[in-house]
Amino acid sequence: MIDPIFLAEAAVNGLLLGGVLALLALGLNLIFGVIDIVWIAYVDLVMICMYAVYFLVQVYGWPIWIGSLASVGLGALLGIAVHVLIISPILGSAPVNQLLATGGLLFFLQSFATFLWTTDHRSVRLTLPTLEYGGMFLSFARLVAFAVALLVMLGLFLFLRHTYIGTAIRAVSQDREAMALMGANPRTVYVVTSAVGGALAGVAAALLIIQYSVHPFFGAAFGPLTFMICVLGGLGNMIGAFVAAFIMSEIISIGGVVWSTEMGYVIAFVIFIIMIFVRPGGLFARRA
Amino acid sequence: MSAGRVGVGVLLAALVAAPFVPMGGMRQYIFHVLIQIFVWSFIGGAWALMGRFGLVSLGHGAFLGLGAYTTTLLWNFFGLTPWLGALVAVVLTAALAVIVAYPCSRFQVIGHYFGLVTLAVGEVVRLLIIAERDWTGGSLGLTVRPAGADSLVAVQFADKRVFYYAALVLWALGLWVWHRVDRSMARSAMEAIGEDETAAASVGIHVTRFKIAITVLSAVLTAVGGIAYAQYIAYVNPDTLAGIGVSLRIVFAVVLGGMYALLGPTVGTALTIALAEVLRVVFGITYVGMAETIYGLLLIVFIIFLPSGIYGSVRDLLRRRPRSQPAAPVTA
């Protein structure tokens, strides 16, 4: 029998991980909802930003918050670059080709990172305390990451609700053709969406590097999980993705303590597959 | 068409005769590359059986891994010959394919969703292999237990020529299956389903039955390819035989070549393997990752500029020319 304290600790850790996963899923979901393309390489962009924070903070000694801001900026630039260089030439192509183009980007980023930085695991060593509460040990870094993730998501919500471009983004995700008829330029919306999605990847990178070490295959570890969260919540559905992130992270965290890390993922993926059959439109889809 | 037949005959004769051509010290290496091209073309062709009808699977690594690990584990732990092991593996793969395909077609999981469900299945198989590390060796992989000498029972041979001919036969078998499907009624039915499921069902096509059949066929052939590859390399690893990486590689090769043509998967696989080998030879171990970096970049470029695949684009070009000539006098 497993000590209930361990289970509680796993549940809290799952909750904290869920915050960062939700941020990732929202970024990917935003892009999917607007441009209708799944960026297979999304988490690999996060990996590149994680390296950026690592080098700025650990090697050049910048303060972590400046490193994080730089990561956000880099993420936005990468997002725009991906859209302009890869996505916009193939907007009219078959969905397989669109998926594979970003899949090619995945291979490129993974191997280029291997080439530049080898497969060593690198981490930012911050001296953050560990909190003890009722026998549970909680990492302060994770608490900070969770809080920042929630704040950024709130910011994203306000941006989409209360700015002109945010409204345009929501409009495109509802009806692409009607949007163009209303006189808005979908191209600008696409570029802004890619930049915002990339910036969210940058934020996630800054929050992940203080908890995990980065290596070229980081994207392979978190990528499939991120897609599944998006689909589970309903592709393009922000609130669904938010809830799904916490469900998946709890399963992985608790499953990891009860069985093994891999089994935690296996259970999460199997539940994902079953959920697709039961509720194909996502957790909160209205039945047609 | 007769010129085409002659060309095919010459090519086949050349492939059959290849082992008797003196190649000096390069022999082993050339055979190694050719065997890989044949086996992965066969697997690519198996994937394309589904892919061409809009069932874009991103998880064929699941079938590949299930096939390869089943035969290898049965041989290593129970001494069961890979011939019988392959039978067990085929049955298991077919069962997995039905488990995936039945709900997918029953609940109309198509497009992006189908891709992501299959991707999840591929990851589940990879993670299960890693999790059961007491049996499977986890992410370190597993060596096929050596039989000691050349053995038909163990399907282990020191001479690469045996594997070369086996791979050639396998490849030809894959082309034959593709050809049969291409000429069958099932093809028309599947194309109708790929276009519009509801419309297809309304003209009396049994959507679920056709989808399950093509998925099982594709999965079983993929498993056979995985078994062949494992027997040849004599080593299985969850990252090279299951999961997202290998699944994407299969899709890449096929889309690069063109998935609607008989030889598309072969052309794509031959090119990607040749490219990977050239880059590996050029950069060697001095620049780890450089070869793969260029590979990834070229894939993006190819997909942007050759959307219907290399073979497809070349064939379209060749076909367009003769047709435009007879059309000219009509307009004049």
Side-chain angles (χ1 to χ4, degrees):
Chain A
M1 191 55 209
I2 296 154
D3 195 332
I5 289 288
F6 283 131
L7 278 184
E9 196 177 291
V12 174
N13 275 330
L15 182 76
L16 298 183
L17 175 65
V20 182
L21 284 179
L23 193 64
L24 277 177
L26 285 189
L28 190 62
N29 229 348
L30 182 72
I31 294 166
F32 178 83
V34 172
I35 310 173
D36 201 22
I37 292 179
V38 179
W39 285 14
I40 295 270
Y42 188 70
V43 185
D44 295 271
L45 297 180
V46 174
M47 180 264 293
I48 298 291
C49 291
M50 285 172 79
Y51 271 110
V53 182
Y54 166 80
F55 279 108
L56 291 178
V57 175
Q58 197 68 31
V59 179
Y60 299 109
W62 292 21
I64 181 77
W65 63 275
I66 297 185
S68 305
L69 285 181
S71 161
V72 176
L74 177 67
L77 286 178
L78 285 175
I80 295 173
V82 169
H83 182 77
V84 172
L85 295 178
I86 300 174
I87 304 295
S88 62
I90 53 165
L91 270 177
S93 303
V96 196
N97 287 15
Q98 298 174 338
L99 216 57
L100 286 181
T102 61
L105 182 65
L106 181 152
F107 277 121
F108 169 71
L109 292 177
Q110 240 177 40
S111 16
F112 199 49
T114 311
F115 170 65
L116 287 179
W117 304 307
T118 72
T119 50
D120 295 350
H121 288 231
R122 295 155 198 265
S123 52
V124 170
R125 279 179 286 280
L126 292 179
T127 44
L128 287 173
T130 306
L131 306 178
E132 197 197 334
Y133 180 80
M136 294 191 290
F137 290 93
L138 300 173
S139 137
F140 190 66
R142 289 189 177 188
L143 279 173
V144 170
F146 180 72
V148 173
L150 285 188
L151 279 177
V152 170
M153 282 186 274
L154 182 69
L156 178 70
F157 177 77
L158 293 176
F159 165 75
L160 289 176
R161 280 283 148 182
H162 295 292
T163 61
Y164 175 78
I165 190 78
T167 313
I169 286 174
R170 281 188 296 131
V172 172
S173 66
Q174 278 171 14
D175 194 327
R176 205 174 313 278
E177 282 78 29
M179 179 64 192
L181 294 177
M182 298 299 134
N185 185 357
R187 226 175 257 178
T188 320
V189 174
Y190 286 177
V191 172
V192 172
T193 306
S194 302
V196 173
L200 288 175
V203 177
L207 301 181
L208 283 167
I209 191 71
I210 57 176
Q211 313 175 39
Y212 298 95
S213 52
V214 62
H215 51 94
F217 301 98
F218 188 86
F222 276 86
L225 186 62
T226 310
F227 312 134
M228 278 162 216
I229 289 170
C230 286
V231 177
L232 195 61
L235 277 171
N237 183 336
M238 293 288 175
I239 297 173
F242 182 78
V243 176
F246 287 100
I247 295 176
M248 291 296 251
S249 65
E250 284 297 343
I251 295 170
I252 288 167
S253 189
I254 294 176
V257 171
V258 177
W259 292 282
S260 66
T261 315
E262 291 88 12
M263 283 313 281
Y265 277 88
V266 167
I267 295 166
F269 289 176
V270 168
I271 288 178
F272 159 79
I273 295 168
I274 294 169
M275 284 306 292
I276 285 295
F277 297 146
V278 183
R279 295 198 71 82
L283 287 174
F284 299 104
R286 287 182 212 92
R287 280 260 149 166
Chain B
M1 200 57 210
S2 65
R5 287 244 166 113
V6 171
V8 170
V10 170
L11 183 68
L12 269 182
L15 287 174
V16 171
F20 299 101
V21 177
M23 295 179 227
M26 291 292 281
R27 171 184 286 275
Q28 295 291 321
Y29 176 69
I30 289 174
F31 278 127
H32 176 67
V33 173
L34 284 176
I35 292 168
Q36 292 209 57
I37 289 177
F38 284 137
V39 172
W40 288 105
S41 299
F42 173 78
I43 295 168
W47 181 89
L49 283 176
M50 283 171 75
R52 63 181 295 193
F53 299 124
L55 292 168
V56 176
S57 156
L58 299 181
H60 259 45
F63 307 126
L64 207 61
L66 185 61
Y69 268 90
T70 306
T71 43
T72 305
L73 288 175
L74 284 175
W75 165 252
N76 278 15
F77 287 96
F78 303 108
L80 186 70
T81 163
W83 297 103
L84 288 176
L87 270 182
V88 178
V90 161
V91 171
L92 285 178
T93 317
L96 178 66
V98 171
I99 292 173
V100 177
Y102 177 73
C104 274
S105 58
R106 187 76 187 67
F107 297 105
Q108 293 215 345
V109 176
I110 48 173
H112 286 300
Y113 289 88
F114 185 76
L116 290 170
V117 165
T118 47
L119 190 143
V121 174
E123 282 296 294
V124 164
V125 170
R126 185 180 75 90
L127 289 165
L128 278 177
I129 291 171
I130 296 176
E132 290 298 314
R133 48 177 64 79
D134 295 343
W135 283 71
T136 60
S139 36
L140 290 177
L142 190 67
T143 311
V144 176
R145 186 164 55 81
D150 280 6
S151 154
L152 189 63
V153 177
V155 201
Q156 292 179 11
F157 303 96
D159 194 339
K160 278 199 187 341
R161 277 178 294 187
V162 180
F163 283 108
Y164 173 81
Y165 280 118
L168 184 63
V169 169
L170 193 68
W171 174 68
L173 181 80
L175 294 185
W176 179 74
V177 171
W178 166 282
H179 185 72
R180 284 299 298 268
V181 170
D182 196 49
R183 286 294 159 90
S184 67
M185 280 293 289
R187 180 207 166 172
S188 317
M190 282 306 303
E191 276 181 352
I193 293 170
E195 293 282 325
D196 187 337
E197 280 195 17
T198 321
S202 71
V203 295
I205 295 171
H206 201 305
V207 175
T208 308
R209 192 180 297 164
F210 273 112
K211 272 194 174 176
I212 292 178
I214 201 79
T215 309
V216 167
L217 181 64
S218 171
V220 163
L221 291 179
T222 305
V224 170
I227 295 164
Y229 184 73
Q231 287 301 325
Y232 169 60
I233 297 287
Y235 168 74
V236 285
N237 181 296
D239 291 309
T240 54
L241 283 170
I244 185 171
V246 67
S247 305
L248 276 179
R249 263 167 213 279
I250 297 172
V251 187
F252 261 130
V254 177
V255 172
L256 197 63
M259 65 172 146
Y260 300 102
L262 174 71
L263 287 177
T266 305
V267 170
T269 308
L271 276 173
T272 44
I273 289 182
L275 179 67
E277 286 297 319
V278 167
L279 292 173
R280 204 167 57 82
V281 169
V282 170
F283 292 105
I285 50 166
T286 38
Y287 300 106
V288 178
M290 200 59 208
E292 294 270 290
T293 305
I294 294 175
Y295 177 76
L297 260 187
L298 285 175
L299 288 174
I300 302 174
V301 170
F302 277 133
I303 283 170
I304 292 177
F305 293 104
L306 290 174
S308 58
I310 291 172
Y311 185 78
S313 306
V314 170
R315 203 190 40 171
D316 288 350
L317 266 181
L318 291 177
R319 279 204 182 155
R320 219 170 286 153
R321 245 175 242 160
R323 259 183 215 164
S324 61
Q325 280 165 350
V330 181
T331 50

